[in-house]
Amino acid sequence: MNKIVKNAEEAIIGVSNGMTLMLGGFGLCGIPENSLKALAESGIKDLVCISNNAGIDDFGLGVLLRDRQLKKMIASYVGENKEFERQFLSGELEVELNPQGTLAERIRAGGAGIPAFFVPAGYGTEVAQGKEVREFNGKMHLLETALTADFAFVKAKYGDYSGNLIYNNTANNFNNMMASAGKITIAEVEELVPTGELDPNQIHTPGIFVQRIFKGTGYEKRIEFETVR
Amino acid sequence: MNKIVKNAEEAIIGVSNGMTLMLGGFGLCGIPENSLKALAESGIKDLVCISNNAGIDDFGLGVLLRDRQLKKMIASYVGENKEFERQFLSGELEVELNPQGTLAERIRAGGAGIPAFFVPAGYGTEVAQGKEVREFNGKMHLLETALTADFAFVKAKYGDYSGNLIYNNTANNFNNMMASAGKITIAEVEELVPTGELDPNQIHTPGIFVQRIFKGTGYEKRIEFETVR
Amino acid sequence: MALDKNGIAQRIAQELKDGYYVNLGIGIPTLVANYIPDGMEVTLQSENGLLGIGPFPEKGKADPDLINAGKQTVTATSGASFFDSALSFAMIRGGHIDLTVLGAFEVSEKGDIASWKIPGKLVKGMGGAMDLVASAKNIIVATTHTNRKGESKLLRKCTLPLTGVACVKRIVTDLAVLDIVEEGFKLIERAPGVTVEEIKNATEGFLFIDGDIPEMNI
Amino acid sequence: MALDKNGIAQRIAQELKDGYYVNLGIGIPTLVANYIPDGMEVTLQSENGLLGIGPFPEKGKADPDLINAGKQTVTATSGASFFDSALSFAMIRGGHIDLTVLGAFEVSEKGDIASWKIPGKLVKGMGGAMDLVASAKNIIVATTHTNRKGESKLLRKCTLPLTGVACVKRIVTDLAVLDIVEEGFKLIERAPGVTVEEIKNATEGFLFIDGDIPEMNI
């Protein structure tokens, strides 16, 4: 069973108009740069994108946004992006904002076969609109539902031929859960090693969650706010 | 802030009659041997124990059972233990059996502040008795609630002074979730190293979940079914 | 002639496909691992936290920290990964396991399964069986067609406490391969030398026979 | 005299205790890290997946794979750990964080907080703020007492969309330290040289004054 594909162009085969995609990363940290570029070049449109953020104007998810490939965004924080603002205010882009922890948990639930769960976040706010409210231990909670995607795109530091993944530092973020929640999960990695080279006790994402894997190239790894001492 | 305690006797200070405890391990693999011994010697009774299994007659949780220290067990599989059978059938011991994945998820939920969630396991069986049933995506699910404990006892291969833990092979099992679900979590480790010696990308249980840690001694690591080629 | 345990396992192994992730229960299902075709990549999951079960260890090399869900000492394959029980059941509940093979006391013609409890006998607990049957994409039951008293295990309705409802897809017994379809147990294959009549006599639930029934190819 | 941002941060740092795990929001809260008393062990959590935020990196040493929740490059302390966002919010939602410090547009006398959205202005999203306020054991708001127009931010009722209800425990402003109690904002301390009268005038919600109000000790 070969999971290895040559590059991002081959990896995105099957992605089509109107599909729901998950895209890992927090800000520009740990985003699947190669896959995002291939999606931008593909011209595929009407996409529903689940991603914590929306990239910046000329990089990451921002490029798909600029080229009007997105129909809807499910995210928690979408600042840092002027084109996003314009499309959102003009109504071109549908946006569903989630508390960040709720978003993370909804994705984990999608991967773990849990259709719904209760959390306290958002009770009494506009996030609660239309949601079932229930009290547990004297505290009000909202019923939140699972998220899954047709394709999930994740980025890891190391991957092996079996699809096992290891992330680096805070570049893990949403990638690990998203890998489990895609019907088809595509992993791009900085280093692709033969099966058996990664320590089985150190795997963050077991290969069962990954259907396609490739070695990415030309990582820019842009920094949004370089802050030094 | 010193989390290090000298030994299991010091670690269990505060555990008292009637408390709810979580005990890591699957079968005899990854059980907190030192803590279990100290609990057995303490004579503390009327305990509610959450543990996937119940040990064997003369080792692990089986010793607490033999000495009538348990009031109730919450578990998924309790074979391999004759005294358990006797107390269960005579009504001395209250037993709540959970599907194993539901048990694991209830403990994770307890640590993650999720009071309740839906799962398909057990629908249409006696496990469903008294539980809310709801359909999602054409499939019936049960509402299950979170589990927490006054004290959680876990065992890891490596630990550092800050409470960061790394498990070995299949000795992780229930330990990782239980560490997050104890009001006070006590970790015993085979090797206790100074803070900074463990790779931050390889930590299974971040130190925030661990309140007390000690180096265990005299590990027997009994094997239930030694099977060879 | 009725198959022995190994024969049942051998027939079930024909259901495997390259790239499959499989969870094998205790008993006959475990034997399926011995019949994975050469060159086929099948990854075995153990619900106590291992993806990539290898062969049993060599004598003297058993690692107490490396067991399967039956608490037997095992090894891990190259490419294996270890994880906690929550992630292990996330794999199972999330539908990431391609095939689950498990034993049963009884199966009903609706696909219900009873496999964990016999009233009056010692309750050992359901372990991971309820999670597995409630969520696996494809569930095959490996069992003898009748119990020791000669009574059918393929029933109209289960009499024992259920493990799951309407979940079994296929049953491989010592006598036959059967699928659960709307009508009941659909006979797919006969064990070598076993007649349709013999299978009919051993099946209490409704046996649906459509055309000629071929012999298993084992 | 009213405190500056650093003064507010310095006062909040007095709330820290040895062994605390703390989440600091963007803005004034981030400055609290500069005032952790020597010898006190306080671990800072960043909700993007880091326990143990260290100082900003030296020039030229910024690692794009190592940022905080404000997307600034940071370092990790000795003893730090990295994890995914689900586990990060498990820490937060599960009540494992001892103290959360965050900014606010408005706080009500019931402890409601508005901090993420101003109708008519660009919506950036709530990020992790709703999760943090809904679950932290102890929440301190760091804010100026009034906004740029001189209007009180401590109100009877919030006018902006809420981030959470009845969750704030303490507020540290440029003028005062106040606790949320049944009666409303209870005045605990005054900034050096600031009178009770000045605080009263700057507080729209009910200000509860019980006895003599000491000056902050900073």
Side-chain angles (χ1 to χ4, degrees):
Chain A
M1 182 71 183
N2 180 33
K3 295 184 176 185
I4 304 168
V5 293
K6 220 170 52 196
N7 52 30
E9 287 66 43
E10 200 179 314
I12 68 164
I13 289 173
V15 179
S16 59
N17 294 349
M19 278 189 169
T20 297
L21 312 185
M22 285 182 183
L23 294 141
F26 183 98
L28 301 180
C29 180
I31 61 172
E33 290 188 21
N34 284 255
S35 299
L36 279 162
K37 215 174 281 176
L39 286 168
E41 281 160 13
S42 74
I44 298 163
K45 56 183 198 301
D46 293 329
L47 295 170
V48 176
C49 282
I50 302 169
S51 166
N52 188 57
N53 314 89
I56 56 173
D57 280 328
D58 65 337
F59 195 61
L61 203 45
V63 179
L64 276 75
L65 199 67
R66 183 192 63 200
D67 298 344
R68 315 272 183 92
Q69 293 179 266
L70 309 190
K71 182 175 63 181
K72 182 177 176 179
M73 272 288 303
I74 299 176
S76 93
Y77 188 84
V78 291
E80 275 78 79
N81 195 313
K82 288 223 180 317
E83 176 61 15
F84 186 97
E85 180 177 355
R86 199 197 59 71
Q87 290 186 25
F88 183 22
L89 294 176
S90 72
E92 286 167 65
L93 182 70
E94 199 183 331
V95 178
E96 182 193 313
L97 289 171
N98 284 242
Q100 194 173 135
T102 298
L103 182 63
E105 191 65 19
R106 291 181 70 192
I107 296 164
R108 180 195 176 267
I114 293 168
F117 55 90
F118 287 95
V119 290
Y123 169 72
T125 76
E126 63 182 52
V127 162
Q129 276 166 21
K131 288 180 188 156
E132 180 178 333
V133 172
R134 198 182 293 196
E135 189 177 328
F136 292 94
N137 314 313
K139 196 168 167 171
M140 303 309 279
H141 291 75
L142 304 179
L143 185 67
E144 296 282 356
T145 54
L147 288 172
T148 56
D150 296 306
F151 282 82
F153 293 90
V154 303
K155 150 80 177 24
K157 174 89 176 177
Y158 305 99
D160 71 14
Y161 298 173
S162 301
N164 293 305
L165 304 178
I166 295 177
Y167 305 97
N168 185 46
N169 301 347
T170 58
N172 182 341
N173 53 65
F174 279 81
N175 284 296
N176 190 36
M177 296 93 65
M178 286 185 174
S180 75
K183 284 188 203 108
I184 295 176
T185 290
I186 294 168
E188 59 177 87
V189 298
E190 290 179 52
E191 295 186 38
L192 183 60
V193 303
T195 292
E197 289 201 6
L198 302 179
D199 179 342
N201 277 304
Q202 293 175 24
I203 308 290
H204 294 133
T205 300
I208 192 171
F209 296 120
V210 174
Q211 281 69 48
R212 300 178 195 169
I213 190 164
F214 69 97
K215 183 180 178 339
T217 55
Y219 282 105
E220 288 189 46
K221 291 200 179 185
R222 288 203 206 168
I223 291 175
E224 258 174 290
F225 304 111
E226 179 151 359
T227 318
V228 294
R229 237 170 266 187
Chain B
M1 183 70 181
N2 180 34
K3 295 183 175 184
I4 304 167
V5 292
K6 220 169 54 195
N7 52 31
E9 287 66 42
E10 200 179 314
I12 68 164
I13 289 174
V15 179
S16 59
N17 293 349
M19 278 189 170
T20 297
L21 312 185
M22 285 183 182
L23 294 140
F26 183 96
L28 301 180
C29 180
I31 60 172
E33 291 188 21
N34 284 254
S35 299
L36 280 162
K37 215 173 282 177
L39 287 168
E41 281 161 14
S42 74
I44 298 163
K45 57 184 198 301
D46 294 329
L47 295 170
V48 176
C49 281
I50 303 170
S51 167
N52 188 56
N53 313 89
I56 55 174
D57 280 327
D58 64 338
F59 194 61
L61 203 46
V63 179
L64 276 74
L65 198 66
R66 183 192 64 200
D67 298 344
R68 315 275 182 89
Q69 292 179 267
L70 309 189
K71 182 175 66 183
K72 181 176 177 180
M73 273 288 302
I74 299 176
S76 93
Y77 188 84
V78 291
E80 274 79 78
N81 195 313
K82 287 221 181 318
E83 176 61 16
F84 186 97
E85 181 178 357
R86 199 196 59 71
Q87 290 187 25
F88 184 22
L89 294 176
S90 72
E92 286 167 64
L93 182 69
E94 199 183 332
V95 178
E96 182 193 312
L97 290 171
N98 284 243
Q100 194 174 134
T102 297
L103 182 64
E105 192 64 21
R106 291 180 71 191
I107 296 164
R108 180 193 176 270
I114 293 168
F117 55 91
F118 287 95
V119 291
Y123 169 72
T125 75
E126 63 181 54
V127 161
Q129 276 166 21
K131 286 178 189 157
E132 180 176 334
V133 173
R134 198 181 293 197
E135 189 177 327
F136 292 96
N137 314 312
K139 195 167 168 173
M140 303 308 278
H141 291 74
L142 305 180
L143 185 67
E144 295 282 357
T145 54
L147 288 171
T148 56
D150 296 305
F151 282 82
F153 293 91
V154 303
K155 150 78 178 19
K157 173 89 173 176
Y158 304 99
D160 71 14
Y161 298 173
S162 301
N164 292 305
L165 304 178
I166 295 178
Y167 306 98
N168 184 46
N169 300 349
T170 58
N172 182 341
N173 54 63
F174 279 81
N175 284 297
N176 191 36
M177 296 93 67
M178 286 184 175
S180 74
K183 284 188 203 107
I184 295 176
T185 291
I186 295 167
E188 59 177 86
V189 298
E190 290 179 51
E191 295 185 41
L192 183 60
V193 303
T195 292
E197 289 202 5
L198 302 179
D199 180 342
N201 277 303
Q202 293 176 23
I203 307 291
H204 295 132
T205 300
I208 192 171
F209 296 119
V210 175
Q211 281 68 48
R212 300 178 195 168
I213 189 164
F214 68 97
K215 184 181 179 335
T217 55
Y219 282 105
E220 287 189 47
K221 291 200 179 186
R222 287 203 207 168
I223 291 175
E224 259 175 288
F225 304 111
E226 179 152 1
T227 318
V228 294
R229 237 170 266 185
Chain C
M1 208 186 66
L3 300 175
D4 63 5
K5 285 180 178 190
N6 283 301
I8 296 174
Q10 204 181 336
R11 175 58 191 85
I12 289 173
Q14 294 176 10
E15 307 285 321
L16 300 172
K17 287 186 187 148
D18 190 41
Y20 259 26
Y21 290 93
V22 178
N23 184 293
L24 300 176
I26 295 166
I28 301 175
T30 303
L31 300 173
V32 173
N34 300 333
Y35 298 98
I36 299 170
D38 280 344
M40 185 183 281
E41 206 178 306
V42 169
T43 306
L44 303 177
Q45 199 248 18
S46 191
E47 63 262 32
N48 56 317
L50 165 58
L51 189 67
I53 308 176
F56 292 122
E58 287 171 39
K59 217 181 159 192
K61 297 222 169 149
D63 174 0
D65 282 349
L66 183 36
I67 63 171
N68 65 15
K71 297 169 195 160
Q72 298 171 306
T73 48
V74 292
T75 58
T77 59
S78 166
S81 53
F82 297 107
F83 34 82
D84 66 32
S85 303
L87 184 57
S88 188
F89 282 93
M91 287 177 192
I92 291 167
R93 200 187 304 104
H96 305 280
I97 304 288
D98 297 295
L99 176 63
T100 288
V101 184
L102 79 169
F105 300 146
E106 298 175 347
V107 180
S108 86
E109 62 188 37
K110 300 284 183 212
D112 300 346
I113 175 172
S115 67
W116 74 283
K117 186 177 178 180
I118 298 179
K121 283 205 181 176
L122 173 60
V123 179
K124 291 193 169 191
M126 67 292 282
M130 285 191 183
D131 311 274
L132 281 159
V133 301
S135 297
K137 278 185 277 195
N138 191 8
I139 298 173
I140 298 180
V141 166
T143 181
T144 52
H145 213 100
T146 54
N147 65 20
R148 283 179 208 165
K149 297 185 203 156
E151 299 160 344
S152 181
K153 295 171 92 172
L154 279 59
L155 307 175
R156 208 144 279 166
K157 271 189 147 191
C158 292
T159 65
L160 296 170
L162 295 180
T163 310
V165 296
C167 53
V168 175
K169 299 279 189 295
R170 174 163 279 201
I171 305 145
V172 178
T173 75
D174 50 340
L175 303 182
V177 176
L178 311 100
D179 281 356
I180 299 292
V181 297
E182 215 175 315
E183 291 86 351
F185 297 104
K186 179 173 183 184
L187 187 55
I188 305 295
E189 293 173 14
R190 296 171 292 114
V194 172
T195 66
V196 169
E197 206 55 30
E198 287 174 277
I199 297 165
K200 220 180 217 168
N201 289 337
T203 307
E204 193 247 18
F206 181 74
L207 189 70
F208 174 56
I209 301 160
D210 186 15
D212 274 352
I213 308 300
E215 272 192 5
M216 293 181 198
N217 181 22
I218 58 168
Chain D
M1 209 186 66
L3 300 175
D4 63 6
K5 285 179 180 190
N6 283 302
I8 295 174
Q10 201 180 339
R11 175 58 192 83
I12 290 174
Q14 293 177 10
E15 307 285 319
L16 300 173
K17 286 184 188 149
D18 190 41
Y20 259 25
Y21 291 93
V22 177
N23 185 292
L24 300 176
I26 295 166
I28 301 175
T30 304
L31 300 173
V32 174
N34 300 332
Y35 298 98
I36 298 170
D38 280 344
M40 185 183 282
E41 206 178 306
V42 169
T43 307
L44 303 177
Q45 199 247 20
S46 191
E47 62 262 33
N48 55 318
L50 165 58
L51 190 67
I53 308 177
F56 292 123
E58 286 171 40
K59 214 179 161 193
K61 297 222 168 148
D63 174 0
D65 282 349
L66 183 37
I67 63 171
N68 65 15
K71 296 170 194 161
Q72 297 171 306
T73 47
V74 292
T75 58
T77 59
S78 166
S81 53
F82 297 108
F83 34 81
D84 67 31
S85 303
L87 184 57
S88 188
F89 282 93
M91 287 176 191
I92 291 167
R93 200 187 305 103
H96 304 280
I97 303 289
D98 297 295
L99 175 64
T100 288
V101 183
L102 79 169
F105 299 147
E106 297 176 347
V107 180
S108 84
E109 63 188 37
K110 300 284 183 211
D112 299 348
I113 175 173
S115 67
W116 74 283
K117 186 178 179 180
I118 298 179
K121 283 204 180 177
L122 173 61
V123 180
K124 291 195 168 189
M126 67 291 284
M130 285 191 183
D131 311 273
L132 281 160
V133 302
S135 297
K137 278 184 277 195
N138 190 8
I139 297 172
I140 297 181
V141 166
T143 181
T144 53
H145 213 100
T146 54
N147 64 21
R148 284 180 205 164
K149 296 185 206 158
E151 297 160 344
S152 181
K153 295 171 91 171
L154 279 59
L155 307 175
R156 209 144 279 166
K157 271 189 145 191
C158 292
T159 64
L160 296 170
L162 295 180
T163 309
V165 296
C167 53
V168 175
K169 298 280 189 295
R170 174 163 278 200
I171 305 146
V172 178
T173 74
D174 50 339
L175 303 183
V177 177
L178 311 99
D179 281 356
I180 300 291
V181 297
E182 215 177 313
E183 291 86 349
F185 297 105
K186 180 174 179 183
L187 187 55
I188 305 295
E189 292 174 13
R190 297 172 290 116
V194 172
T195 65
V196 168
E197 206 53 33
E198 286 174 277
I199 297 164
K200 220 180 219 169
N201 289 337
T203 308
E204 193 248 15
F206 181 75
L207 188 70
F208 175 56
I209 301 160
D210 186 15
D212 274 352
I213 308 300
E215 271 192 7
M216 293 180 200
N217 180 21
I218 57 168

